[in-house]
Amino acid sequence: MNQASEIAFNEQVQTNWNRYEIYSNDVLIESRFTTSQLRWYYKHEFRMMLESVGFTDVSIYGGYNCSPVSDDQSFMIFRAFK
């Protein structure tokens, strides 16, 4: 697999292009191409979006054990009520 990425920081979007090669008996028989986009939101931004559509009591956790969010984590868990 070959991959290329482009990040548009101001738009908070990462675009990924992937090429998959299928071989049979060491002979390339097909190449497949895919494109995907990843959009990210920051903690306060996502909280505001939830609150703006009527969610209340928003809690943000840094793990499945309800630990606080830290700078070295790659995901957050949001819990909100409506």
Side-chain angles (χ1 to χ4, degrees):
M1 177 178 81
N2 295 319
Q3 179 178 355
S5 294
E6 178 181 83
I7 296 176
F9 285 102
N10 290 332
E11 296 299 318
Q12 293 173 221
V13 174
Q14 177 179 340
T15 303
N16 298 308
W17 297 274
N18 299 294
R19 181 179 76 196
Y20 301 90
E21 296 178 338
I22 301 169
Y23 288 85
S24 177
N25 297 321
D26 294 328
V27 175
L28 177 64
I29 60 172
E30 185 178 355
S31 290
R32 294 185 183 173
F33 299 90
T34 63
T35 302
S36 62
Q37 286 192 319
L38 170 70
R39 179 172 299 277
W40 67 87
Y41 297 94
Y42 296 104
K43 180 172 71 173
H44 301 294
E45 186 177 31
F46 200 79
R47 176 194 293 270
M48 286 189 303
M49 287 191 312
L50 288 170
E51 292 172 345
S52 74
V53 294
F55 283 91
T56 60
D57 195 23
V58 178
S59 300
I60 306 168
Y61 302 108
Y64 297 110
N65 60 356
C66 299
S67 60
V69 176
S70 65
D71 288 339
D72 63 341
Q73 290 173 300
S74 60
F75 71 94
M76 292 175 271
I77 297 171
F78 288 78
R79 186 185 73 185
F81 297 91
K82 191 167 188 180

